[in-house]
Structures are given as C-alpha cells and as structure tokens.
Amino acid sequence: QVQLVESGGGLVQPGGSLRLSCVGSGSGFNWPLMGWYRQAPGKQRELVAKMTSGGSTDYAGSVKGRFAISRDNAKNTVDLQMNSLMPEDTAVYYCYANVYGRYNHISYNYWGQGTQVTVSS
C-alpha cells in the first residue's frame, strides 16, 4: 500500500511564497511520476505541476515561472516551491503519485489528503 503525506500549506499574503512537501511511502513499487494538483471551491481539480523520475516536468500555464517542482527519487518525495502567489492560487493542493508494482506490473494512482493554501491580505 502507498501513502502520501503532504505538509507546508497555510495562509500567505499576495506576492509571498510557500513550499509544499510530500513524502511517499510503500515498498515494492517504482515511482515514475509524482506531482501536485489543486482544487479551488466550485472548480474541478487541475494539474499544477508534475515530474517524472527522469526529471521531465510539466506545469500549468498559470503557474509557469512562479512555481517550481522538485523531487528526490531515492526518498520518494516531491516538493512544490510557490513564489509570487496570487489570490487565485487559493485552493486545496493534493500530492499525486503514479506508481508501478515491481512484481505485478500494475500501475496505480494515489492521492494525498490535501493541504490548504490561502492567499489573502
């Protein structure tokens, strides 16, 4: 079984910064993809950023140049550095992982419990 535990959310003023962290646990898996999604009230969950184990990244257009994703493959962690935050970044942020069973060769998707990010003066 895989678990994802997020930390680092909170309240920040516009223009401020926050860093989200996610730690994944679970044996017997490869972790080809990890990332972050967010969901604002009344809106669908959307991709923020994702990163493959090989280092390829993909960002939502609204966060390019402001957010940076990084990961430690050895520790199954993924971080999201968020700079120049705007009120429209307010949402619950979810850690995401696509893992691949080393023995059954089946792919699974997992989500963290979510962490609230509020950007307000």
Side-chain angles (χ1 to χ4, degrees):
Q1 186 70 332
V2 169
Q3 287 190 325
L4 301 173
V5 179
E6 303 121 330
S7 61
L11 173 64
V12 63
Q13 292 187 342
S17 298
L18 278 177
R19 187 176 184 86
L20 305 182
S21 296
C22 174
V23 180
S25 61
S27 59
F29 298 96
N30 293 323
W31 297 65
L33 184 67
M34 298 186 76
W36 293 91
Y37 283 70
R38 67 186 180 187
Q39 188 167 18
K43 294 188 177 181
Q44 289 188 334
R45 190 174 297 189
E46 62 175 3
L47 172 70
V48 177
K50 58 184 178 181
M51 189 171 188
T52 69
S53 55
S56 297
T57 58
D58 188 20
Y59 290 92
S62 60
V63 307
K64 279 183 180 178
R66 301 188 298 122
F67 292 10
I69 189 170
S70 60
R71 61 180 288 182
D72 185 330
N73 292 336
K75 298 180 180 179
N76 296 330
T77 61
V78 61
D79 292 348
L80 185 69
Q81 177 65 42
M82 304 185 293
N83 300 324
S84 302
L85 283 160
M86 302 183 294
E88 46 265 49
D89 294 316
T90 295
V92 178
Y93 284 69
Y94 296 91
C95 180
Y96 162 80
N98 173 259
V99 303
Y100 187 78
R102 293 175 186 161
Y103 307 109
N104 63 9
H105 308 293
I106 296 174
S107 179
Y108 303 89
N109 295 317
Y110 287 94
W111 298 90
Q113 79 283 359
T115 185
Q116 178 69 47
V117 172
T118 302
V119 185
S120 175
S121 55

